[in-house]
PDB file of all heavy atoms in Angstrom:
ATOM      1  N   GLN A 205    -159.368 -50.299 -29.918  1.00 98.00           N
ATOM      2  CA  GLN A 205    -160.458 -50.628 -30.811  1.00 98.00           C
ATOM      3  C   GLN A 205    -160.548 -52.277 -30.831  1.00 98.00           C
ATOM      4  O   GLN A 205    -161.630 -52.778 -30.761  1.00 98.00           O
ATOM      5  CB  GLN A 205    -160.320 -50.116 -32.259  1.00 98.00           C
ATOM      6  CG  GLN A 205    -161.484 -50.397 -33.100  1.00 98.00           C
ATOM      7  CD  GLN A 205    -162.718 -49.733 -32.612  1.00 98.00           C
ATOM      8  OE1 GLN A 205    -162.804 -48.565 -32.285  1.00 98.00           O
ATOM      9  NE2 GLN A 205    -163.773 -50.537 -32.354  1.00 98.00           N
ATOM     10  N   LEU A 206    -159.351 -52.867 -30.921  1.00 98.00           N
ATOM     11  CA  LEU A 206    -159.351 -54.353 -30.914  1.00 98.00           C
ATOM     12  C   LEU A 206    -159.949 -54.817 -29.646  1.00 98.00           C
ATOM     13  O   LEU A 206    -160.759 -55.827 -29.772  1.00 98.00           O
ATOM     14  CB  LEU A 206    -157.921 -54.818 -31.055  1.00 98.00           C
ATOM     15  CG  LEU A 206    -157.605 -56.346 -31.006  1.00 98.00           C
ATOM     16  CD1 LEU A 206    -158.344 -57.091 -32.092  1.00 98.00           C
ATOM     17  CD2 LEU A 206    -156.117 -56.635 -31.059  1.00 98.00           C
ATOM     18  N   LEU A 207    -159.606 -54.213 -28.579  1.00 98.00           N
ATOM     19  CA  LEU A 207    -160.113 -54.675 -27.237  1.00 98.00           C
ATOM     20  C   LEU A 207    -161.662 -54.432 -27.215  1.00 98.00           C
ATOM     21  O   LEU A 207    -162.385 -55.411 -26.788  1.00 98.00           O
ATOM     22  CB  LEU A 207    -159.410 -53.927 -26.111  1.00 98.00           C
ATOM     23  CG  LEU A 207    -159.571 -54.372 -24.654  1.00 98.00           C
ATOM     24  CD1 LEU A 207    -159.352 -55.863 -24.469  1.00 98.00           C
ATOM     25  CD2 LEU A 207    -158.797 -53.583 -23.856  1.00 98.00           C
ATOM     26  N   ALA A 208    -162.041 -53.328 -27.683  1.00 98.00           N
ATOM     27  CA  ALA A 208    -163.617 -53.061 -27.727  1.00 98.00           C
ATOM     28  C   ALA A 208    -164.323 -54.135 -28.496  1.00 98.00           C
ATOM     29  O   ALA A 208    -165.306 -54.628 -28.089  1.00 98.00           O
ATOM     30  CB  ALA A 208    -163.796 -51.627 -28.263  1.00 98.00           C
ATOM     31  N   ASP A 209    -163.666 -54.508 -29.678  1.00 98.00           N
ATOM     32  CA  ASP A 209    -164.367 -55.495 -30.558  1.00 98.00           C
ATOM     33  C   ASP A 209    -164.377 -56.911 -29.833  1.00 98.00           C
ATOM     34  O   ASP A 209    -165.363 -57.601 -29.990  1.00 98.00           O
ATOM     35  CB  ASP A 209    -163.649 -55.598 -31.907  1.00 98.00           C
ATOM     36  CG  ASP A 209    -163.726 -54.310 -32.662  1.00 98.00           C
ATOM     37  OD1 ASP A 209    -164.607 -53.418 -32.412  1.00 98.00           O
ATOM     38  OD2 ASP A 209    -162.879 -54.052 -33.592  1.00 98.00           O
ATOM     39  N   GLN A 210    -163.278 -57.143 -29.247  1.00 98.00           N
ATOM     40  CA  GLN A 210    -163.205 -58.467 -28.427  1.00 98.00           C
ATOM     41  C   GLN A 210    -164.285 -58.642 -27.416  1.00 98.00           C
ATOM     42  O   GLN A 210    -164.876 -59.678 -27.218  1.00 98.00           O
ATOM     43  CB  GLN A 210    -161.858 -58.637 -27.962  1.00 98.00           C
ATOM     44  CG  GLN A 210    -160.717 -58.916 -28.970  1.00 98.00           C
ATOM     45  CD  GLN A 210    -159.402 -59.108 -28.335  1.00 98.00           C
ATOM     46  OE1 GLN A 210    -159.176 -58.837 -27.181  1.00 98.00           O
ATOM     47  NE2 GLN A 210    -158.355 -59.683 -29.049  1.00 98.00           N
ATOM     48  N   ILE A 211    -164.405 -57.498 -26.659  1.00 98.00           N
ATOM     49  CA  ILE A 211    -165.315 -57.500 -25.485  1.00 98.00           C
ATOM     50  C   ILE A 211    -166.751 -57.748 -26.014  1.00 98.00           C
ATOM     51  O   ILE A 211    -167.519 -58.463 -25.378  1.00 98.00           O
ATOM     52  CB  ILE A 211    -165.231 -56.169 -24.683  1.00 98.00           C
ATOM     53  CG1 ILE A 211    -163.890 -56.121 -23.952  1.00 98.00           C
ATOM     54  CG2 ILE A 211    -166.412 -55.991 -23.762  1.00 98.00           C
ATOM     55  CD1 ILE A 211    -163.495 -54.828 -23.347  1.00 98.00           C
ATOM     56  N   LYS A 212    -167.114 -57.115 -27.151  1.00 96.00           N
ATOM     57  CA  LYS A 212    -168.454 -57.326 -27.704  1.00 96.00           C
ATOM     58  C   LYS A 212    -168.699 -58.756 -28.192  1.00 96.00           C
ATOM     59  O   LYS A 212    -169.821 -59.110 -28.305  1.00 96.00           O
ATOM     60  CB  LYS A 212    -168.684 -56.261 -28.827  1.00 96.00           C
ATOM     61  CG  LYS A 212    -168.981 -54.968 -28.201  1.00 96.00           C
ATOM     62  CD  LYS A 212    -169.163 -53.831 -29.309  1.00 96.00           C
ATOM     63  CE  LYS A 212    -169.207 -52.551 -28.639  1.00 96.00           C
ATOM     64  NZ  LYS A 212    -167.823 -52.013 -28.313  1.00 96.00           N
ATOM     65  N   SER A 213    -167.540 -59.379 -28.526  1.00 96.00           N
ATOM     66  CA  SER A 213    -167.848 -60.725 -29.015  1.00 96.00           C
ATOM     67  C   SER A 213    -167.599 -61.846 -27.972  1.00 96.00           C
ATOM     68  O   SER A 213    -167.500 -63.042 -28.327  1.00 96.00           O
ATOM     69  CB  SER A 213    -166.894 -60.984 -30.287  1.00 96.00           C
ATOM     70  OG  SER A 213    -165.545 -60.917 -29.938  1.00 96.00           O
TER      71      SER A 213
END
Side-chain angles (χ1 to χ4, degrees):
Chain A
Q205 187 60 55
L206 175 62
L207 189 56
D209 296 342
Q210 288 181 347
I211 289 167
K212 283 182 190 73
S213 59

